[in-house]
Amino acid sequence: MNDELIGTQTPTRRITDPQEALAALESAVPGLRGLRRAEPVVPDWAVLEDGLGTALPADYKHLAEWYPTFALGDFVLVALPEPGGEHHLLHGVRGALDVLADAWLEPGRGPTARPAPGGLLPWAESNESDTFLWTTAGDTPQDWIVTVASRSGGWWHYAGGAVQFLAEYAGGTLEPWALPSLGPEVSPC
């Protein structure tokens, strides 16, 4: 990435249970429950994971099974796969990886834009070109941390999962380095 690492934020306690992480997000964003499906749906995870060459974190999969794509604070777009739309999301992720490789990242500096171990894999974006990614390092996808690539060129890590990151960002317990504060408003997309 163009600038140096700003730093790493570590949650008081990393939430590893997908149901607990989703409950924390629903608590931080009360309006989210209005978008919750009556019954979970199951996207074809094999299509996505085979296409990316890696499994995905359980908290993200749990979120996608209960919720459609949504925006938080009219700022962060959380694109989630829908059954039958897996190839569309896969195409979007590949496009985002190409953009990151071309525009944000310099060879030899920081993580690389690829889902291979130690690389970056996008899972959300802002309406101002900030990108929210996983750093794909660790024994399993549950060990991955969030990396934020700011439109200003700064980047930083959050040593927790994506759903917990969203809960803490919307709940105001996360320092939003290089990002605006995020309110608890939610809207379907």
Side-chain angles (χ1 to χ4, degrees):
M1 298 179 192
N2 296 334
D3 293 336
E4 297 299 317
L5 174 68
I6 295 170
T8 300
Q9 293 187 52
T10 303
T12 303
R13 180 180 67 87
R14 183 172 179 151
I15 300 173
T16 57
D17 178 68
Q19 292 176 347
E20 184 183 355
L22 185 54
L25 179 58
E26 291 170 340
S27 177
V29 183
L32 187 62
R33 280 201 165 269
L35 302 179
R36 188 178 175 112
R37 295 180 170 106
E39 296 290 327
V41 300
V42 181
D44 190 341
W45 293 114
V47 167
L48 287 167
E49 294 174 335
D50 290 348
L52 294 170
T54 184
L56 293 169
D59 65 331
Y60 174 81
K61 292 167 76 170
H62 187 68
L63 177 67
E65 291 170 358
W66 284 102
Y67 285 97
T69 295
F70 60 88
L72 286 177
D74 198 28
F75 180 70
V76 177
L77 174 66
V78 182
L80 299 167
E82 294 283 338
E86 296 87 357
H87 289 287
H88 178 71
L89 185 68
L90 186 58
H91 178 74
V93 169
R94 286 183 180 148
L97 286 170
D98 289 342
V99 168
L100 284 168
D102 290 343
W104 284 82
L105 306 172
E106 295 177 21
R109 294 191 66 193
T112 57
R114 59 186 167 80
L120 295 171
L121 182 59
W123 57 268
E125 63 187 1
S126 82
N127 62 5
E128 294 183 11
S129 300
D130 304 285
T131 307
F132 304 89
L133 314 108
W134 289 293
T135 295
T136 59
D139 293 334
T140 71
Q142 282 55 254
D143 298 324
W144 295 355
I145 63 171
V146 171
T147 297
V148 178
S150 164
R151 66 195 169 283
S152 64
W155 56 286
W156 52 281
H157 299 297
Y158 171 78
V163 177
Q164 184 177 4
F165 170 85
L166 292 172
E168 292 195 9
Y169 186 20
T173 58
L174 178 86
E175 174 61 43
W177 294 334
L179 297 173
S181 295
L182 185 68
E185 300 81 25
V186 64
S187 56
C189 297

